[in-house]
Amino acid sequence: MPSSPLLPACLVSALLLAAAPVGAQMANTPAEPAPEKATSDKSSDKAVPLSKGEIQLSFAPVVKRAAPSVVNVYASHVEKRSARSNAMEEFMRRFFGEDRPGRGPGGMPGERAQRSLGSGVIVDASGLVITNNHVIENMNEVKVALADKREFEAQFVLRDPRTDLAVLKIKSPADIAPMPIGDSDHLEVGDFVMAIGNPFGVGQTVTQGIVSALARTQVGSSDYQFFIQTDAAINPGNSGGALVDLKGHLVGINTAIYSQSGGSHGIGFAIPASMVRAVVETAKNGGSLVRRPWLGARVQTVTPDIAESVGLDRPTGVLVASMQAKSPAEEAGLKRGDVILSVDGQTVDDPEAFGYRYALKGISGTADLGILRGSKRQTIPVKLGPAPETRPRDSLKVRTRTPFAGATFVNTSPAVSEELQADLPDEGVAVTAVDDGSLAGRAGFRKGDVIVAVNGMPIASTKDLDRLTQRNLGLWEVAIKRGGEVLTSVFGG
């Protein structure tokens, strides 16, 4: 990794020392007399520190700059209880002789609270804090505690479940230290990084390691999978914390670990700073929703067989499988069977990498797609813009006692298709959410399902579905489209 004038000299020395072979480290020292006969003493492979400066090599200067920007995030969901629920809680408390979960402050019934603990990073002097969406998901109150023990109330500014990022804003910030957002595209495997956060709620903790891998796409914690992998110890509570380079810049937001025990096994994942920057810029500009460019094409992985058939020496890029009418892809002249190899000169190896790179391009201007068509490579400019809402969503949350109860439905459109990452018809009704434990959940409905017909009647809009769910029908025959197949199930009334 190239040195920087911003780095303390001792850290530059540390990198040079770590990168050089032992012989090189000793090159400027007087030669030792050769031993009279060989020995098996392995201590000869180790180098003695040659100066006080080498003994005192430390990451402390970087930590001092970065740590004040990392915060603890305390989120909670406070739910008012009904009188009947309060009476039951009081009965349970008296019967078992203990304070039951969900009691209000001071042991008084009336509220039920769910709590979440994570980390966050101050990224703007106005008080903006970036964290993981899963830290504050379903929460309605949040506090932020700084490294100097000050606590602030915070408000929700933006939630972006597709990237698992969220932005909070500290109320009445004073003397806060934002962390500069670095360039994650320049990270290399082997670079030193540090993870700063609040693991297990023990307080701010710093761990150090290296970048183990880049562009990890099979993690499964968000729609845009392009993670930095590190062996710096990341544990529960580190979520939303900072992955920091040796300049003290934010290069990632720690979000997930691979573990069978719940503790760190040296495989942690962070959302790259390039995606973090896009979300933060949206919040700075007053947006509450991150808008991303729409291509209007479905792409798939290039397998070894496909690579051989199109003349590639290895499986890389993404194959254009289909396109929507009047989409940017169609208007740009993309064709089914084209292989997209790059986005603005940055290579893409799989659909996840393509989705990540394309999502960062914004919703104005153009992006140059490098493609392979037949045996010819060419560049095609594609106009950037958001997926259109071709008709109102008319969101419907079904509450009547039917198989649909607890699910949320919307009218389909290219924008809905983009958000659900699914090929949806231009006219139809799609499931966007299913409550845990609901009748719809027990019936097997999933996010992304399209309701085709109910009792033989086509469903073209949420109004059609709403009218049917108001009826007291004995049986419900429901046809849904899922993954290209139409499935039919019958439920009792």
Side-chain angles (χ1 to χ4, degrees):
M1 183 177 70
S3 63
S4 165
L6 298 176
L7 287 174
C10 64
L11 289 175
V12 176
S13 300
L15 291 174
L16 294 175
L17 187 64
V22 172
Q25 295 170 20
M26 302 293 291
N28 295 327
T29 62
E32 294 284 345
E36 293 182 1
K37 55 184 177 179
T39 69
S40 59
D41 184 5
K42 294 184 179 180
S43 64
S44 60
D45 295 333
K46 300 179 181 179
V48 177
L50 302 178
S51 68
K52 182 179 179 181
E54 290 182 2
I55 296 173
Q56 294 177 334
L57 292 176
S58 172
F59 293 105
V62 183
V63 175
K64 286 179 181 178
R65 288 201 301 271
S69 304
V70 182
V71 301
N72 298 340
V73 175
Y74 302 94
S76 61
H77 179 90
V78 179
E79 178 183 350
K80 299 292 183 181
R81 309 295 310 284
S82 67
R84 183 176 178 180
S85 297
N86 292 341
M88 180 59 71
E89 285 288 336
E90 185 64 17
F91 170 79
M92 296 294 285
R93 183 187 70 82
R94 290 183 180 183
F95 185 81
F96 288 103
E98 60 182 5
D99 285 335
R100 304 289 297 170
R103 301 185 61 78
M108 295 299 292
E111 293 181 346
R112 168 175 288 174
Q114 297 175 333
R115 292 182 173 82
S116 174
L117 173 64
S119 306
V121 186
I122 301 171
V123 289
D124 190 74
S126 66
L128 293 183
V129 174
I130 190 84
T131 186
N132 280 140
N133 182 68
H134 73 256
V135 171
I136 56 93
E137 190 173 17
N138 300 322
M139 301 298 167
N140 55 20
E141 295 180 3
V142 63
K143 287 185 178 180
V144 169
L146 274 60
D148 61 10
K149 308 300 182 184
R150 288 182 294 160
E151 289 193 4
F152 295 91
E153 297 283 344
Q155 63 188 38
F156 301 100
V157 176
L158 183 155
R159 305 174 193 241
D160 189 36
R162 298 190 66 185
T163 58
D164 192 24
L165 291 172
V167 180
L168 311 172
K169 187 169 185 180
I170 298 173
K171 296 180 180 179
S172 305
D175 299 324
I176 59 173
M179 184 181 295
I181 299 178
D183 188 351
S184 54
D185 287 341
H186 286 169
L187 280 179
E188 294 182 328
V189 175
D191 283 349
F192 279 112
V193 286
M194 289 173 287
I196 309 178
N198 183 20
F200 299 111
V202 299
Q204 191 176 88
T205 301
V206 181
T207 56
Q208 177 267 326
I210 63 169
V211 174
S212 307
L214 296 168
R216 288 297 196 209
T217 59
Q218 303 300 318
V219 178
S221 65
S222 71
D223 287 350
Y224 295 104
Q225 299 195 35
F226 201 75
F227 294 96
I228 302 165
Q229 181 181 323
T230 178
D231 67 349
I234 296 173
N235 289 289
N238 270 115
S239 289
L243 190 70
V244 181
D245 66 13
L246 293 189
K247 297 178 183 178
H249 292 177
L250 181 71
V251 292
I253 292 294
N254 301 318
T255 190
I257 59 174
Y258 176 82
S259 175
Q260 295 177 326
S261 65
S264 174
H265 286 184
I267 302 177
F269 302 98
I271 301 168
S274 52
M275 183 61 79
V276 173
R277 181 180 288 105
V279 174
V280 171
E281 287 301 317
T282 297
K284 282 184 180 181
N285 294 329
S288 59
L289 177 68
V290 180
R291 303 179 73 195
R292 297 184 173 89
W294 175 54
L295 180 62
R298 185 172 64 87
V299 298
Q300 68 181 58
T301 302
V302 174
T303 64
D305 289 342
I306 292 174
E308 183 178 0
S309 68
V310 299
L312 289 170
D313 58 358
R314 63 185 179 89
T316 187
V318 293
L319 181 72
V320 177
S322 63
M323 289 180 295
Q324 291 181 255
K326 299 180 181 179
S327 65
E330 184 184 71
E331 293 174 355
L334 275 177
K335 296 181 180 179
R336 186 173 179 272
D338 287 345
V339 177
I340 302 174
L341 300 171
S342 64
V343 178
D344 280 342
Q346 293 179 306
T347 59
V348 292
D349 287 330
D350 50 41
E352 289 80 10
F354 172 77
Y356 175 85
R357 290 297 181 193
Y358 197 73
L360 294 177
K361 294 297 140 182
I363 55 173
S364 62
T366 61
D368 290 334
L369 302 186
I371 70 166
L372 176 68
R373 178 178 295 166
S375 59
K376 183 179 179 182
R377 297 189 182 224
Q378 55 185 289
T379 299
I380 293 182
V382 177
K383 186 177 180 180
L384 298 170
E389 294 270 2
T390 51
R391 59 180 182 149
R393 298 192 179 204
D394 290 338
S395 180
L396 170 66
K397 178 71 174 284
V398 177
R399 304 185 188 280
T400 55
R401 188 167 183 79
T402 68
F404 307 100
T408 302
F409 303 87
V410 299
N411 293 329
T412 58
S413 69
V416 173
S417 296
E418 182 72 10
E419 289 172 17
L420 296 180
Q421 294 290 283
D423 288 326
L424 305 180
D426 292 336
E427 284 199 0
V429 173
V431 180
T432 58
V434 180
D435 293 345
D436 291 339
S438 65
L439 289 175
R442 292 199 290 271
F445 289 105
R446 301 179 190 172
K447 183 178 179 180
D449 285 347
V450 175
I451 309 302
V452 177
V454 176
N455 288 358
M457 289 176 280
I459 302 297
S461 69
T462 56
K463 290 181 180 178
D464 294 339
L465 184 60
D466 190 27
R467 280 193 294 268
L468 282 173
T469 57
Q470 300 304 318
R471 301 180 186 180
N472 186 16
L473 302 179
L475 290 175
W476 299 83
E477 183 183 90
V478 183
I480 64 170
K481 186 176 182 180
R482 177 185 296 165
E485 288 186 78
V486 176
L487 310 173
T488 301
S489 300
V490 178
F491 307 97

